[in-house]
Amino acid sequence: MKEIIIDGNSYKFDPGQTVLEVARGNDIDIPTLCYSEHLSITGACRMCLVENKENGSLETACTLPARDGLEVETDNDKIYDARKTVLDLILSDHPMTCMTCEANGDCQLQDLAYQFDIEESSYGSKKEDRFELEERNSFIVYDPDKCILCGKCVRADSELQCSDAIEFSERGFKTKVAAAFDEGLGGEDSSCVFCGLCVENCPTAALSYKPARKKGREYELRKQRTTCGYCGVGCQVELNIKGNEVIKVDSVYDDTAPNPDGEMCVKGRFAYGFIDSPDRLKYPLIKKDGEFVESSWDEALDYIADNLSRIRDEHGGREIGALSSARCTNEENYIMQKFMRAVMKTNSVEHCARL
Ligand code: FES
C-alpha cells in the first residue's frame, strides 16, 4: 500500500483520497470552511492550506490528492500566517455581531476567529450591511451580509437535494447566493422545496431556520435523535429541544440511515409544530348528544369494538372499511389489513401512502 508523509509520519491511504481525508482519518486537525465529506470539493475558502515539502508551496489539503511519497506539513508558522490572513480577509467583510447572531456558539467562522485570535479584522471591520435580509418565505432566512461564499449551500441543494434552486449571482463584492430571478426561495419561479439542507450546511448564520430564530442558543438546546414519523422511509433526525419545546430539527449523518447525507423533506424539517400544539388531541373523544366528549382509552376502544361488531353482524363486513396510515410501520399496517379481512370480513382497506 502506498504511503504519504504528514508532519514527519507515514500514513497509508486509499486511491483517490485527498491529503485532508488522510489527515482527518488520522486525527490530524486541518481547519476548513467550504469542505464537507458529503459534497463535491471546490477549494473555495483556502483555510485548509498545507505546505508541500517538495517545493515549499502552500496548497489546499482538500483538493490535493494523496500520492506515494508526497510529504506535507500541516502546522508551521508559514501555514499559520497564511491561514490567519485568509481568515482575516473573510472577517473583513463579515459583520462582527456575534452577541446577537443566531449562530453564536454554532458558527465555524466564530470558532476559527477564536482559534486564530482575531477580534477584529486588521483590514477594518464591516460597519454597514450591504444587502437586504431575505425572508420572503415561512422557513428560511438568508442574510447575504453573513455569507462567506463557501458554496456549500449551493452544492447541497444541487448535489443532494437535486433542486438547483440557488446559485451564485452577481460578481465581486455584489456576489451573493440567490434563487431564480432573485425572487427569494419562495418566489414564483423558485424550485426550492424547503428541505433545509442549505441551512444545515451553512458554516455561519447566513442561512437560518426562520421558525427557530430567537428561540434559543445552541448550547441551550437538548439533542434527541429520533425517527421522523411522517412516512415509512424512516429518516433519522435530531430534535433540538429547549425546556419541553422542539425548537428545530437538524440532520443526522449516519451511513446506515436511509438519509445518510442528512437529506430531509419539508415535513420532517419544519412540520413539528403539532408536537406542542394546544389543539393536539391527547385523549379519545366520543360524540354524545351531538357533542364530542373526552373519554378514557378503555371506553373508546369498547365503543369501537361494540359498534364494529354490531355493524358486521347486522349488515355484513362489506359495510365496513378501514383507512390506515403511512405514518404507521409496515407491521402495524399488516395487522390492520389482517384484522379487517379476518375479523371484520371486508377487503375494503386503504392506505394513505401518497403523502
Ligand atoms: S476547505 Fe479546503 S479550500 Fe475550503
Side-chain angles (χ1 to χ4, degrees):
M1 204 171 185
K2 304 193 165 155
E3 293 194 353
I4 179 177
I5 302 163
I6 304 177
D7 297 334
N9 298 311
S10 289
Y11 299 98
K12 297 190 186 333
F13 63 91
D14 295 325
Q17 278 194 301
T18 62
V19 169
L20 179 68
E21 286 165 343
V22 180
R24 288 206 165 162
N26 290 285
D27 295 328
I28 299 167
D29 181 45
I30 297 176
T32 61
L33 280 170
C34 72
Y35 173 80
S36 164
E37 62 183 293
H38 305 276
L39 303 172
S40 64
I41 294 167
T42 56
C45 74
R46 323 306 285 178
M47 273 309 296
C48 64
L49 291 170
V50 293
E51 184 174 355
N52 183 339
K53 298 306 282 182
E54 285 169 358
N55 53 20
S57 64
L58 293 177
E59 302 188 35
T60 46
C62 68
T63 60
L64 183 61
R67 60 187 149 76
D68 198 25
L70 175 66
E71 183 175 357
V72 296
E73 249 179 40
T74 69
D75 192 13
N76 60 35
D77 289 349
K78 182 170 151 186
I79 296 166
Y80 181 87
D81 289 346
R83 288 176 183 165
K84 187 164 182 172
T85 301
V86 167
L87 189 58
D88 205 4
L89 285 165
I90 293 173
L91 289 168
S92 70
D93 193 36
H94 191 87
M96 304 299 254
T97 51
C98 296
M99 297 278 269
T100 53
C101 181
E102 206 55 45
N104 186 17
D106 186 28
C107 173
Q108 287 179 46
L109 191 61
Q110 186 187 46
D111 291 346
L112 287 173
Y114 178 82
Q115 188 182 329
F116 284 84
D117 197 19
I118 302 180
E119 201 174 307
E120 194 168 327
S121 171
S122 59
Y123 298 97
S125 293
K126 189 173 191 171
K127 296 279 184 274
E128 286 177 2
D129 289 348
R130 292 187 289 109
F131 300 94
E132 271 180 36
L133 199 68
E134 291 184 13
E135 48 181 346
R136 290 168 282 177
N137 68 81
S138 303
F139 303 114
I140 293 172
V141 177
Y142 176 49
D143 185 348
D145 281 292
K146 290 180 179 170
C147 179
I148 60 169
L149 303 176
C150 67
K152 285 171 81 177
C153 55
V154 175
R155 280 176 281 149
D157 175 54
S158 173
E159 296 166 13
L160 300 179
Q161 185 58 38
C162 305
S163 280
D164 290 315
I166 48 175
E167 248 308 343
F168 289 116
S169 74
E170 303 288 352
R171 291 288 183 276
F173 270 97
K174 288 186 179 167
T175 309
K176 66 171 187 170
V177 172
F181 305 109
D182 207 4
E183 288 176 349
L185 293 174
E188 223 172 80
D189 295 297
S190 172
S191 54
C192 175
V193 294
F194 295 107
C195 68
L197 265 184
C198 57
V199 182
E200 184 70 35
N201 278 278
C202 181
T204 69
L207 287 154
S208 58
Y209 295 124
K210 196 171 190 177
R213 283 174 79 83
K214 306 295 172 203
K215 291 223 172 137
R217 295 286 195 202
E218 182 67 14
Y219 47 81
E220 296 176 294
L221 304 178
R222 181 163 52 87
K223 311 280 182 176
Q224 179 62 57
R225 178 174 169 163
T226 187
T227 304
C228 175
Y230 268 109
C231 77
V233 172
C235 289
Q236 294 300 292
V237 301
E238 185 178 71
L239 303 181
N240 288 254
I241 305 156
K242 185 177 176 187
N244 272 332
E245 187 185 357
V246 175
I247 303 297
K248 62 176 178 171
V249 180
D250 281 338
S251 292
V252 166
Y253 297 93
D254 180 346
D255 285 345
T256 63
N259 55 336
D261 295 312
E263 305 93 327
M264 286 168 67
C265 71
V266 63
K267 291 187 180 182
R269 182 77 73 186
F270 292 108
Y272 52 83
F274 71 93
I275 298 171
D276 300 303
S277 169
D279 297 332
R280 186 173 172 176
L281 278 183
K282 293 181 179 161
Y283 309 95
L285 302 174
I286 297 177
K287 207 170 211 178
K288 293 177 181 168
D289 301 326
E291 294 282 324
F292 280 114
V293 180
E294 222 173 76
S295 77
S296 69
W297 284 104
D298 281 346
E299 187 187 358
L301 290 171
D302 285 346
Y303 181 84
I304 294 166
D306 291 348
N307 280 289
L308 281 179
S309 309
R310 180 182 56 75
I311 294 167
R312 180 198 56 195
D313 296 343
E314 290 179 7
H315 305 285
R318 289 174 67 91
E319 301 302 315
I320 299 171
L323 180 63
S324 191
S325 170
R327 295 175 71 171
C328 300
T329 62
N330 279 345
E331 290 77 8
E332 288 162 340
N333 279 311
Y334 174 83
I335 289 169
M336 170 62 98
Q337 65 81 31
K338 190 76 177 171
F339 172 73
M340 280 294 140
R341 292 186 215 278
V343 180
M344 290 293 116
K345 309 295 183 196
T346 180
N347 287 323
S348 301
V349 184
E350 184 49 297
H351 180 287
C352 70
R354 292 167 290 282
L355 272 175

